[in-house]
Amino acid sequence: MLPYRQGIMRLPLPEPDTSAVLFDCDGTLVDTMGVHRIVWSEIFARYDYTVTDDWWADNANVALLPFVRLVVPDADESLADKLNRESMAMYMEALHLVEPLEHVVEIARATHGSRPMAVVTGGYREIIIPTLDAAGITELFDVIVTADDVAQSKPAPDVYVRAATLLGVEPALCMAYEDSEIGMASARDAGVGRIIDIRLVDASS
């Protein structure tokens, strides 16, 4: 049985036979999604599109080109990349608004030093490192694997496979914390042994 804090269901800690612990970044370790929504709402407003709560909940984790095509159907990779670069610049200007998700970060802090840990993200390194720095948690992790490090990002398994390889462990002996369907699909297809959907637990303190 996975351990929980007494009195309220919380995130499970890694079990003793877990060789390495892997964390998604956006929406898992750090609450960045609100900032990303502000940024993309402003960008898509130029195309006379209003980002609603439901639309964002359904599509925030979609890969870049399909994501842009939801609003700009004829968008090609060049336009998607242009808009993404603009979104990253706008995000960096709002970096002060991001906050660590403490109910997940406390797992990383409790695990630090007992076994290797990695951040495994579909985001880009130039955004992820400043985000982790702003949250004050970069030094907790032995490895940070981003979309820049693989041929295909999430939902492909590449980022999780690479993280396990760099940590020198088998994916089956790893535990992953994720907040999205595409992230969990990536971990599952990489063969990660335990995958925790952080949306299913109580985040209250």
Side-chain angles (χ1 to χ4, degrees):
M1 178 180 294
L2 295 171
Y4 288 88
R5 290 182 181 272
Q6 185 176 6
I8 186 170
M9 191 172 79
R10 301 297 300 275
L11 284 172
L13 294 165
E15 290 187 342
D17 62 348
T18 299
S19 294
V21 187
L22 315 174
F23 295 86
D24 175 50
C25 182
D26 292 320
T28 299
L29 285 168
V30 188
D31 185 7
T32 59
M33 299 310 287
V35 179
H36 284 301
R37 177 177 174 174
I38 291 170
V39 166
W40 281 102
S41 293
E42 183 174 331
I43 290 172
F44 287 153
R46 302 172 196 161
Y47 296 88
D48 297 321
Y49 193 88
T50 299
V51 173
T52 64
D53 291 345
D54 288 344
W55 187 93
W56 185 254
D58 289 341
N59 299 300
N61 288 298
V62 171
L64 177 62
L65 183 56
F67 175 76
V68 172
R69 282 179 172 169
L70 289 169
V71 176
V72 189
D74 60 349
D76 57 14
E77 290 187 4
S78 177
L79 177 61
D81 184 65
K82 175 179 179 294
L83 295 180
N84 190 49
R85 290 289 167 183
E86 186 173 355
S87 78
M88 289 193 290
M90 294 166 67
Y91 173 89
M92 292 297 290
E93 293 178 358
L95 196 59
H96 61 283
L97 297 176
V98 305
E99 296 181 348
L101 288 166
E102 292 295 346
H103 67 300
V104 182
V105 171
E106 71 177 5
I107 301 295
R109 293 193 190 281
T111 306
H112 179 63
S114 68
R115 68 204 77 191
M117 297 195 301
V119 175
V120 185
T121 174
Y124 294 95
R125 186 168 296 272
E126 66 186 276
I127 293 294
I128 296 301
I129 298 300
T131 296
L132 295 170
D133 288 345
I137 59 176
T138 310
E139 299 306 316
L140 293 176
F141 303 99
D142 302 281
V143 167
I144 298 171
V145 177
T146 72
D148 305 281
D149 302 314
V150 294
Q152 296 184 78
S153 189
K154 299 177 184 179
D158 302 33
V159 282
Y160 275 102
V161 171
R162 181 164 178 79
T165 299
L166 290 174
L167 294 176
V169 300
E170 292 295 325
L173 299 177
C174 295
M175 184 170 180
Y177 293 85
E178 273 284 356
D179 76 311
S180 71
E181 296 299 328
I182 67 167
M184 286 183 284
S186 175
R188 183 172 57 252
D189 289 349
V192 172
R194 296 184 181 92
I195 305 169
I196 305 302
D197 184 348
I198 72 161
R199 299 170 299 181
L200 300 181
V201 302
D202 194 324
S204 62
S205 56

